Amino acid sequence: MKPSKRLMKFLSDEGYRPSLEQEGDDASSAVIRFKSEGRTFLALVDLSDPLYLHIELGFSLPEGCDLAMLISAANDLNQSRKVVKTIVDAENKVVEFHAELFLADEAPDAALLQRILGALPAAAEEFFERRCKAPELNA
């Protein structure tokens, strides 16, 4: 079974009601959208690597935020947080929180997924408490 289908089944079995947003033109990647506790997450699937898991939570940056301070906050989080990568995209005016890891099996277990779905919003909350408030993307 393709990694995107396997992850879709896992998320469905866990009650998340995922939707396949897109598959890459070269059929090497896919994007799956799902919600948890009112937040929209994206699972970015590398179809050539079934043991790789990448989940993202994104926010629009509000006007008036100091870019240097945002990048500093992202760097602080990247240094102090486990698993979560924080990326400030000034050109598109977004900040993204990514969890990337290698799995031992071809689908995550429910406990691992819960840790990820807790870690991403916690990092976002810490980031915005330090710098500025922002509306969530993909909501």
Side-chain angles (χ1 to χ4, degrees):
M1 182 184 303
K2 286 172 65 171
S4 55
K5 300 282 187 209
R6 189 176 305 107
L7 186 55
M8 288 280 294
K9 180 178 179 346
F10 169 76
L11 291 169
S12 292
D13 291 349
E14 293 298 315
Y16 290 104
R17 296 179 32 197
S19 63
L20 184 62
E21 291 296 307
Q22 68 184 39
E23 284 197 303
D25 294 336
D26 58 1
S28 66
S29 64
V31 177
I32 298 169
R33 180 183 307 266
F34 66 99
K35 287 193 173 203
S36 174
E37 306 220 1
R39 293 184 170 93
T40 300
F41 293 86
L42 299 178
L44 310 173
V45 180
D46 180 341
L47 299 177
S48 67
D49 190 350
L51 299 180
Y52 174 70
L53 180 64
H54 182 165
I55 296 179
E56 172 187 322
L57 176 63
F59 296 84
S60 296
L61 289 173
E63 296 297 321
C65 290
D66 181 321
L67 182 59
M69 291 176 72
L70 295 175
I71 291 171
S72 176
N75 288 339
D76 290 347
L77 282 175
N78 288 338
Q79 186 174 26
S80 66
R81 289 275 172 173
K82 296 175 183 173
V83 178
V84 177
K85 295 179 185 177
T86 305
I87 299 168
V88 174
D89 181 347
E91 183 178 325
N92 293 309
K93 297 183 180 178
V94 299
V95 60
E96 299 169 340
F97 302 89
H98 299 260
E100 299 180 66
L101 54 139
F102 294 108
L103 303 171
D105 196 0
E106 291 187 351
D109 63 34
L112 175 63
L113 182 62
Q114 285 304 308
R115 284 191 78 179
I116 292 169
L117 298 182
L120 292 171
E125 185 175 318
E126 183 177 342
F127 177 85
F128 288 116
E129 280 178 359
R130 292 182 185 190
R131 303 300 175 214
C132 59
K133 298 292 180 195
E136 191 170 328
L137 288 178
N138 307 316

